[in-house]
């Protein structure tokens, strides 16, 4: 699964996605957790737009928003089997922006947190493949929310965790957002593990265990904290 990630800067985002409309009140985030607002790029009304959606998908048919707590991730292998995701795979795909994510490695009774990012260390490094939807509450409030698609781990992640988020190659991001692409076989061909040789993983502080802590120490290697 993917239960936490980071996004510290948004350098070059307007140029990368050709944004013409965006909500841009952004502060560095070192420990983004489910139910919080996350930066999402969608293609709607003929243009790419940046919004902040709630992390944890609330389908438009949901009776209440608590279902979002269970839908922070969507397994790539079963998207077409789940009513929560099948319609959105063809109609409402999005990019969830990140520069790293966290997974916990079990060692006996201990879980050690690791941060995984790209080797080149670029600011605003990549985008997760995601799905989104809008839901109207009984009081008339519209909530837009999203989920991160996960897949099998690559060889770097395999010793740490049995899942990883789908990270799209940069040259396929526009294809993923294209509303004209609706054939699921083409779409699902992108839902594969990112190349291990382009990534790096390192142990980080247990401070990241708390979703209430969002300081820069979350992204530092353990050895640099002592």
């Amino acid at each position: 699964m993917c239960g936490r990630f980071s996004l510290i800067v948004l350098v070059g985002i307007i140029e990368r996605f050709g944004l013409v409309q965006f909500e841009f009140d952004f502060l560095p985030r070192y420990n983004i957790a489910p139910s919080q607002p996350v930066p999402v790029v969608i293609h709607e009304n003929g243009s790419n737009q940046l919004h902040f959606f709630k992390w944890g998908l609330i389908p438009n048919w949901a009776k209440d928003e608590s279902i979002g707590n269970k839908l922070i991730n969507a397994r790539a292998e079963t998207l077409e089997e789940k009513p929560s995701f099948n319609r959105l795979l063809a109609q409402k795909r999005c990019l969830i922006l990140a520069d790293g994510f966290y997974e916990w490695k079990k060692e006996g009774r201990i879980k050690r947190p690791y941060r995984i990012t790209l080797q080149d260390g670029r600011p605003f490094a990549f985008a997760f493949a995601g799905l989104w939807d809008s839901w109207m509450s009984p009081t008339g409030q519209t909530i837009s929310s999203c989920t991160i698609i996960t897949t099998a781990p690559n060889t770097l992640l395999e010793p740490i965790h049995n899942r990883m988020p789908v990270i799209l190659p940069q040259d396929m991001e526009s294809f993923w957002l294209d509303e004209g692409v609706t054939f699921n076989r083409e779409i699902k061909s992108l839902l594969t593990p990112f190349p291990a040789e382009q990534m790096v993983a390192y142990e980080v502080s247990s401070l990241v265990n708390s979703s209430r802590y969002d300081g820069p120490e979350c992204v530092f290697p353990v050895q640099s904290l002592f």
Side-chain angles (χ1 to χ4, degrees):
M1 65 177 292
C2 178
R4 302 285 178 79
F5 65 96
S6 61
L7 182 61
I8 301 171
V9 296
L10 283 175
V11 173
I13 185 175
I14 296 175
E15 295 79 9
R16 179 160 169 176
F17 296 109
L19 297 171
V20 297
Q21 178 179 329
F22 51 89
E23 303 166 8
F24 209 94
D25 183 14
F26 179 78
L27 295 174
R29 295 298 315 278
Y30 302 95
N31 190 17
I32 300 172
S35 80
Q36 296 176 355
V38 296
V40 171
V41 175
I42 65 172
H43 188 83
E44 194 171 46
N45 300 322
S47 65
N48 288 347
Q49 303 170 17
L50 174 68
H51 298 283
F52 286 84
F53 289 173
K54 184 176 182 178
W55 182 13
L57 185 74
I58 310 169
N60 64 4
W61 45 260
K63 293 181 180 180
D64 62 77
E65 62 181 298
S66 64
I67 192 175
N69 299 328
K70 301 178 181 179
L71 299 178
I72 66 169
N73 292 159
R75 293 176 67 93
E77 299 88 342
T78 58
L79 288 175
E80 293 173 291
E81 302 170 14
K82 306 291 185 180
S84 304
F85 306 134
N86 186 33
R87 171 182 58 89
L88 305 181
L89 185 62
Q91 299 175 359
K92 290 194 172 183
R93 300 184 299 274
C94 65
L95 300 172
I96 300 168
L97 309 185
D99 58 21
F101 63 95
Y102 303 98
E103 293 294 359
W104 281 256
K105 182 179 181 180
K106 290 184 179 180
E107 296 180 355
R109 296 183 179 181
I110 298 173
K111 290 185 177 180
R112 298 187 184 277
Y114 282 76
R115 185 170 187 256
I116 301 94
T117 188
L118 298 191
Q119 280 191 346
D120 59 16
R122 284 176 289 161
F124 167 47
F126 48 75
F128 300 133
L131 305 174
W132 72 281
D133 208 354
S134 291
W135 174 79
M136 183 172 290
S137 74
T139 60
Q141 178 188 13
T142 298
I143 299 176
S144 293
S145 60
C146 61
T147 186
I148 296 171
I149 300 174
T150 66
T151 187
N154 59 26
T155 55
L156 177 70
L157 266 292
E158 196 169 12
I160 301 173
H161 200 272
N162 62 359
R163 304 292 294 175
M164 69 176 293
V166 173
I167 298 171
L168 293 170
Q170 187 171 339
D171 61 356
M172 296 306 295
E173 290 170 347
S174 59
F175 181 84
W176 179 255
L177 292 177
D178 190 343
E179 296 173 301
V181 178
T182 58
F183 187 43
N184 282 1
R185 183 176 298 176
E186 291 180 301
I187 297 167
K188 290 190 70 177
S189 69
L190 299 178
L191 305 181
T192 58
F194 197 79
E197 62 272 15
Q198 297 181 33
M199 308 188 78
V200 62
Y202 58 89
E203 187 178 351
V204 294
S205 168
S206 59
L207 287 169
V208 77
N209 293 352
S210 172
S211 61
R212 291 175 291 182
Y213 189 81
D214 193 24
E217 296 86 355
C218 290
V219 305
F220 294 161
V222 164
Q223 57 266 33
S224 71
L225 296 174
F226 300 97

